[in-house]
Amino acid sequence: MKVFCGRANPTTGSVEWLEEDEHYDYHQEIARSSYADMLHDKDRVFKPMADAAVKIVEKNGFSDKIKVINKHSTEVTVGPDGDMPCRANILVTELFDTELIGEGALPSYEHAHRHLVQENCEAVPHRATVYAQLVESRRMWSWNKLFPVRVQTSLGEQVIVPPLEVERCPGAPSVYDIQLNQVSPADFTVLSDVLPMFSVDFSKQVSSSAACHSRQFEPLASGRAQVVLSWWDIEMDPEGKIKCTMAPFWAHSDPDGLQWRDHWMQCVYFLPQEEPVLQGSALCLVAHHDNYCIWYSLQRTSPEKNVRVHQMRPVCDCQAHLLWTRPRFGEINDQNRTDQYAQALRTVLKPGSVCLCVSDGSLLPVLAHHLGAEQVFTIESSAASHKLMKKIFKANQLEDKINIVEKRPELLTNADLEGKMVSHLLGEPFFTTSLLPWHNLYFWYVRTAVDQHLEPGAVVMPQAASLHAVVVEFRDLWRIRSPCGDCEGFDVHIMDDMIQRALDFRESKEAEPQPLWEYPCRSLSEPQHMLTFDFRQPVPQQPMRAEGAMELRRPGRSHGAVLWMEYQLAPGSTLSTGLLEPVGDKGHCHWNPHCKQAVYFFSTTPDPRVPPGGPRTVSYAVEFHPHTGDITMEFRLTDTSD
């Protein structure tokens, strides 16, 4: 049976109804779940997985010993007619996320101890401990706060200052989970030792009630306390002989033997405000948690006195953290990027310029004003972006200089522009609905929708965009798509087949967004320019297609292709959302840290050796469909040695 699914098309901006298979959600969930990645982790249900579990149990000869109950644990019944005949004496579970408690581990354990297990049961894992380390880091702090932005103008330097409300805001309450091992030690200063903040003994009654835990410490250096780095470890047995840790390399007992994981990473928490600390002057770091979330505060009083301080979870009240993601904060705070936009604007702005800016929560309108535009209009479609930009304009005395239009671009009227024609259409482009790099082609559709408001020969910035790709070998990311085969002696090919069927349903034919600065890779080919989108013209009626081949010039395993967009802001000025510099002889890739690139995983990976008779190539066919805004692609590995 087919079902209709509604979706907002991020590229065209329209709402569409698509006919999907009734099991579409199952396929998506399975394909994107990283189940295989978790089984590749040598240290450590929903219905399709329960079905697979039953088959795996049967295939491995344990049908008479293992009963699969396809229920949430809080729905399991105990008794002669229940799902379990009696309470269990061993509790084995894995309910953890990067934050440890974010998947509801505490209430689930609490219920299990009350209703499902015996009083003196043993739990596997036995105990978990959360660790924290206080650091100063301008890079990580730039993911949470808006810095002053400097603009060089003909009248001297202008500074775009953040509103006081944004400066004082405690920020978003959610954790930022990243591959902390990919953050350079040069990007932060350690202010404290690694502090064990609290432990949970899973063999005893667990409480999901809100609590806080204080640890007194003496700062190792003077500086500004801004960020708390956090991770956890678990002891599988009561003696603590079998341990699994998420510690980053500098806090790991065996840095050379790190287990790579994508299902469990490390946590970055931001203090509500940065605070000065002095080396050797005692402080208290406080970890607070409710039943799902953890947050931190810094106190100068003794642990006994601060246990009830800052119990409330911090919540954004400035709009910025609701509109901008952490990478977006970093992008806006990137002064080099701002300078590039400013330089491009200087080359295109003229006396009497009337600018229309189209991006979500962008500082381009302010740049355009400071660089000489006579009048600036900006479209802010969402209430959050409208409120935030209004605050920013007011903080910089620009509320009477920049006109905000709160409506969708296609609804723009001549009256919204005060009867004027637009001489400069500007965009970063950035839109909060974009996931894949080409979703920001929404700017092209906006340009087409407002065409009637553009004067003849109007400047469009960026003037064009181009799609690029490179074939890569991942150091670790390939594991999320790699079959498991056998796991600790158990045959799990049934699960591998289930995941592959889900991928074949659609996902294997699509790219997925990944922040590749966190996932090192080597390029095996040279970057390939595939398609160009000319924003100076409206969206064409006919599809755009490109075919070609990329020669693999370096030995390695071809795990997939990485795709990204490059924007030609003005003649001689290009901004890349992917590679930031030419690939070196060894294939090292330096990716834009503010953007997610698109990864198209190949279904098979060839032998790492380059055939002696000739190189391998990856042929491709890429097509842009203007009516849907979709980009479809196909890659095929060929051996040219024959």
Side-chain angles (χ1 to χ4, degrees):
M1 183 177 73
K2 298 290 186 179
V3 295
F4 283 100
C5 298
R7 72 158 185 168
N9 188 311
T11 307
T12 64
S14 62
V15 177
E16 302 172 342
W17 289 93
L18 304 177
E19 189 179 56
E20 300 284 6
D21 182 271
E22 63 178 320
H23 300 302
Y24 171 64
D25 287 344
Y26 279 171
H27 287 295
Q28 276 196 317
E29 184 73 18
I30 295 169
R32 299 177 182 179
S33 63
S34 295
Y35 291 128
D37 172 36
M38 298 178 78
L39 290 187
H40 279 299
D41 183 350
K42 300 303 181 184
D43 287 347
R44 67 139 264 168
V45 234
F46 83 133
K47 189 177 187 302
M49 287 306 295
D51 293 342
V54 171
K55 294 176 183 177
I56 291 171
V57 166
E58 180 180 350
K59 185 170 185 178
N60 286 274
F62 290 99
S63 295
D64 60 335
K65 294 181 172 30
I66 299 176
K67 176 183 179 181
V68 177
I69 303 171
N70 182 25
K71 288 184 178 180
H72 190 282
S73 64
T74 57
E75 299 173 348
V76 171
T77 57
V78 178
D81 299 321
D83 300 307
M84 297 169 53
C86 62
R87 287 177 175 244
N89 58 10
I90 298 178
L91 175 60
V92 182
T93 185
E94 193 283 277
L95 293 168
F96 315 123
D97 66 349
T98 294
E99 200 174 18
L100 183 69
I101 65 173
E103 291 185 0
L106 296 182
S108 296
Y109 271 109
E110 184 177 45
H111 177 272
H113 277 284
R114 287 179 177 175
H115 302 285
L116 303 179
V117 298
Q118 299 173 10
E119 184 175 353
N120 296 317
C121 81
E122 182 53 72
V124 180
H126 179 78
R127 180 187 295 107
T129 302
V130 173
Y131 299 88
Q133 191 168 33
L134 187 67
V135 304
E136 174 182 357
S137 173
R138 178 176 175 82
R139 180 187 179 189
M140 287 186 268
W141 196 237
S142 76
W143 299 337
N144 183 58
K145 296 289 184 179
L146 179 60
F147 295 168
V149 178
R150 304 182 184 281
V151 188
Q152 298 298 328
T153 75
S154 59
L155 301 177
E157 183 180 79
Q158 298 287 335
V159 181
I160 305 171
V161 298
L164 191 60
E165 188 176 348
V166 176
E167 283 191 315
R168 291 176 174 173
C169 181
S174 57
V175 64
Y176 190 20
D177 53 337
I178 66 171
Q179 295 284 358
L180 199 54
N181 288 314
Q182 299 309 313
V183 176
S184 169
D187 282 333
F188 61 92
T189 300
V190 171
L191 299 180
S192 79
D193 289 320
V194 176
L195 305 172
M197 297 305 299
F198 65 92
S199 296
V200 182
D201 189 334
F202 299 122
S203 294
K204 299 178 181 178
Q205 180 62 56
V206 173
S207 173
S208 62
S209 300
C212 62
H213 310 269
S214 300
R215 290 294 178 267
Q216 191 167 24
F217 70 99
E218 293 187 358
L220 301 176
S222 297
R224 303 196 67 80
Q226 298 169 327
V227 176
V228 176
L229 309 180
S230 184
W231 58 89
W232 50 265
D233 65 25
I234 48 178
E235 297 172 1
M236 305 302 291
D237 60 314
E239 293 76 26
K241 295 180 180 179
I242 306 172
K243 184 178 289 190
C244 177
T245 180
M246 308 304 120
F249 67 87
W250 66 86
H252 202 283
S253 58
D254 181 19
D256 295 330
L258 279 174
Q259 167 71 52
W260 182 86
R261 300 179 176 92
D262 198 44
H263 48 280
W264 295 328
M265 294 184 275
Q266 293 80 38
C267 301
V268 174
Y269 297 93
F270 303 100
L271 293 178
Q273 297 295 329
E274 63 178 3
E275 298 186 38
V277 299
L278 294 175
Q279 182 177 5
S281 181
L283 294 168
C284 290
L285 185 64
V286 185
H288 312 264
H289 73 79
D290 54 23
N291 53 351
Y292 284 96
C293 302
I294 299 174
W295 63 97
Y296 287 86
S297 65
L298 193 63
Q299 305 297 329
R300 300 184 183 276
T301 55
S302 64
E304 293 78 17
K305 295 180 180 180
N306 67 23
V307 291
R308 295 190 178 276
V309 178
H310 292 297
Q311 287 277 3
M312 295 298 294
R313 186 180 177 209
V315 176
C316 170
D317 56 14
C318 75
Q319 304 295 323
H321 302 90
L322 304 179
L323 180 68
W324 296 335
T325 63
R326 273 65 179 260
R328 177 60 172 166
F329 264 100
E331 189 171 53
I332 293 174
N333 286 324
D334 186 337
Q335 187 64 51
N336 291 332
R337 182 178 181 274
T338 297
D339 293 343
Q340 192 169 354
Y341 274 99
Q343 181 58 38
L345 283 170
R346 291 188 195 99
T347 66
V348 300
L349 288 177
K350 301 174 183 177
S353 296
V354 176
C355 299
L356 176 61
C357 301
V358 185
S359 288
D360 287 344
S362 172
L363 297 184
L364 269 183
V366 185
L367 295 182
H369 170 78
H370 285 320
L371 293 170
E374 180 177 292
Q375 192 160 6
V376 180
F377 298 89
T378 181
I379 295 179
E380 300 293 345
S381 303
S382 73
S385 62
H386 180 270
K387 291 178 182 178
L388 174 60
M389 298 316 296
K390 192 172 182 179
K391 293 173 185 176
I392 292 175
F393 297 159
K394 184 176 181 180
N396 290 275
Q397 294 81 49
L398 297 175
E399 63 265 44
D400 298 327
K401 308 290 186 181
I402 301 175
N403 297 2
I404 305 178
V405 181
E406 187 182 359
K407 59 170 53 177
R408 292 187 59 81
E410 63 269 20
L411 302 179
L412 190 70
T413 66
N414 189 252
D416 295 323
L417 300 173
E418 300 178 358
K420 298 185 178 181
M421 297 295 286
V422 173
S423 64
H424 291 71
L425 179 65
L426 310 177
E428 295 197 37
F430 169 84
F431 301 98
T432 57
T433 54
S434 299
L435 295 175
L436 293 165
W438 46 86
H439 287 167
N440 284 319
L441 288 175
Y442 176 56
F443 177 77
W444 202 8
Y445 288 83
V446 171
R447 178 258 179 271
T448 304
V450 303
D451 187 65
Q452 61 180 313
H453 302 293
L454 305 182
E455 67 179 28
V459 171
V460 179
M461 190 190 95
Q463 63 184 26
S466 49
L467 179 67
H468 299 255
V470 66
V471 178
V472 302
E473 174 187 49
F474 286 109
R475 190 172 74 188
D476 296 299
L477 190 61
W478 59 270
R479 299 173 194 270
I480 69 173
R481 286 290 185 90
S482 177
C484 294
D486 294 314
C487 180
E488 298 297 326
F490 290 92
D491 185 344
V492 293
H493 284 87
I494 291 172
M495 191 200 72
D496 290 338
D497 295 340
M498 179 187 69
I499 293 176
Q500 189 58 53
R501 286 193 299 272
L503 289 170
D504 291 342
F505 179 77
R506 176 175 296 174
E507 301 291 330
S508 65
K509 305 177 183 66
E510 297 182 348
E512 62 182 56
Q514 294 284 355
L516 290 188
W517 74 268
E518 297 184 53
Y519 302 103
C521 61
R522 293 173 51 247
S523 72
L524 303 185
S525 71
E526 294 304 308
Q528 179 76 27
H529 176 186
M530 293 183 164
L531 290 172
T532 296
F533 312 94
D534 188 352
F535 296 157
R536 293 169 297 186
Q537 303 297 325
V539 176
Q541 295 297 312
Q542 301 301 318
M544 300 167 56
R545 183 177 176 86
E547 297 181 3
M550 292 180 281
E551 181 181 322
L552 304 186
R553 300 186 176 184
R554 301 177 186 90
R557 296 186 68 84
S558 304
H559 291 132
V562 177
L563 300 97
W564 68 95
M565 301 289 285
E566 294 187 0
Y567 295 99
Q568 291 73 54
L569 302 182
S573 178
T574 300
L575 187 144
S576 174
T577 67
L579 287 174
L580 294 183
E581 58 189 34
V583 174
D585 292 339
K586 295 183 179 180
H588 173 71
C589 297
H590 182 201
W591 299 104
N592 188 321
H594 310 311
C595 305
K596 288 186 178 182
Q597 294 74 38
V599 178
Y600 183 103
F601 286 100
F602 298 158
S603 58
T604 58
T605 54
D607 187 273
R609 295 169 296 176
V610 174
R616 293 182 186 271
T617 62
V618 172
S619 59
Y620 65 85
V622 178
E623 187 166 1
F624 170 68
H625 305 272
H627 295 295
T628 63
D630 292 334
I631 291 182
T632 56
M633 62 197 73
E634 182 178 359
F635 292 88
R636 182 172 299 174
L637 185 74
T638 58
D639 189 340
T640 59
S641 61
D642 296 336

